[in-house]
Amino acid sequence: MRETNLQVSELGHRGDGVARTDKGPVYVPGALPGETVTANVIDGRAKNPSFKTLSPDRITPVCRHYETCGGCALQHLAQAPYLVWKRELVAKALKDRGIVAEVSDTISATAGGRRRAVLTATRAGRHTLLGYHEKASHRLVDVTECPVLDPAIVNALPGLKSLAGDVLPRKGELRLTVLNTTAGLDVAIDKADKGYDRKIPSLSQKTVELDLARLSVNGEVLLEIRPPRLDMNGVGLTVAPGGFTQATQAGEEALSLLVCEGVGKAKTVADLFSGVGTFAFRLARQANVHAVEGDVGAMAAFDKALRNARGLKKVTFERRDLFRRPLVQEELEPFDAVVFDPPRAGAQAQAEQLARSKVKTVLAVSCNPATFARDVRLLLDGGYTLQSVTPVDQFHYSPHIEVVALLTRE
């Protein structure tokens, strides 16, 4: 097959280089803008590219697993252009919806590493592999280091692998979610072998030896040595096993600051898709808050933490599936401001109701620029004005980006 010369002009939304050709875009893995490569092109992708010219923005990756591991996409790009690329991901998503807006510089919120990791384990003969899948593959990379994780999690990898090995199913994989809390590591294993109860003595001993705060298997708490708490601005909260939290402490604080500043002097705030109360507990220092969430575990953790919280204004909450039953126009009337932070699918139904409401201030928070732009478009069409858009990067070296937008209505 004849090789093609390719001039890379930009980065795609997944971190691949993009070369524009007469036959359409060609995606070049590992390439950066300004680089020249030769490669065989199959179905719009460059295979085994040979680099002829390198970008001055290219740097040496910091992890030995980078060439194979699918967890990171851009360890070879310098920090400044990397943060510009993240901002452009948000700007492009907005532009695709016909929204021309000034997007602020990306806030880097990766300090300390990710406190929450979701790892996969499987068998390889008599050995256990624990890590992440290879790029575009079902094969697993056995991770021995990971520069994006909290060092406490990295140091525990050998022990976590041993735990996983005790309960691996005969076929397939299991998932291990680990969260670094103020009390130590909270480990939740899912898809473990159904006969794991035979291993409970061994698992309990290893939990003590690893000094874990808590170990859960298939949703059952096997041993809790200390309640695995998170500090939500002075409120102690214990999440459900494997429950969702913001990936980094720095990211949580950056997003919360933007939300609290955006709400301003509002006296009543609705926090929709509130999760465990990341924003609600902070907002309640300055306003009355009504939190709405559909996940049972998150609501239970929120309720328990609220019972012991001090110094907050009035806080109420309800469990509700906002995808099926969004707060409608009449229910939104009591609120001066609304915050919504949905999963990656976005909040289309809720945004449609907000667009019909008289709520003066809306804070849209998202981990998906595409659905974020769709929801913002609905709000703009409903009469809101976009005041600011701020990207927050807490997923270092990856294509993922958080974003916070402030919208107001006259």
Side-chain angles (χ1 to χ4, degrees), residues 167 195-207 215 220 222:
V167 293
Y196 72 85
D197 54 325
R198 300 189 301 270
K199 295 286 189 176
I200 288 179
S202 173
L203 293 169
S204 298
Q205 181 179 349
K206 289 179 180 180
T207 299
L215 175 66
E220 176 188 5
L222 294 190

Side-chain angles (χ1 to χ4, degrees), residues 253-273:
E253 292 172 357
L255 293 169
S256 298
L257 180 61
L258 289 167
V259 166
C260 290
E261 287 181 346
V263 163
K265 297 181 179 179
K267 295 182 179 180
T268 57
V269 181
D271 181 14
L272 310 183
F273 304 95

Side-chain angles (χ1 to χ4, degrees), residues 209 279 356:
E209 292 173 352
F279 302 138
R356 301 186 184 107

Side-chain angles (χ1 to χ4, degrees), residues 126-148:
R126 296 182 179 181
H127 301 284
T128 298
L129 305 182
L130 178 70
Y132 302 105
H133 287 104
E134 292 185 11
K135 297 174 182 177
S137 171
H138 294 295
R139 292 192 298 269
L140 203 65
V141 178
D142 192 33
V143 171
T144 57
E145 66 177 54
C146 185
V148 303

Side-chain angles (χ1 to χ4, degrees), residues 15 24 43 46-47 56 69 94 101 111 127 144 153 190 206 212 282 290 295 323 385 399 402 408:
D43 296 330
K47 303 296 182 180
C69 180
L94 291 170
H127 301 284
T144 57
I153 297 176
D190 291 317
K206 289 179 180 180
L212 303 181
R282 291 170 168 86
H290 181 60
D295 182 77
F323 294 108
T385 300
E402 307 277 337
T408 60

Side-chain angles (χ1 to χ4, degrees), residues 275-294:
V276 295
T278 301
F279 302 138
F281 286 124
R282 291 170 168 86
L283 289 167
R285 300 286 182 188
Q286 65 191 65
N288 297 328
V289 177
H290 181 60
V292 185
E293 170 59 45

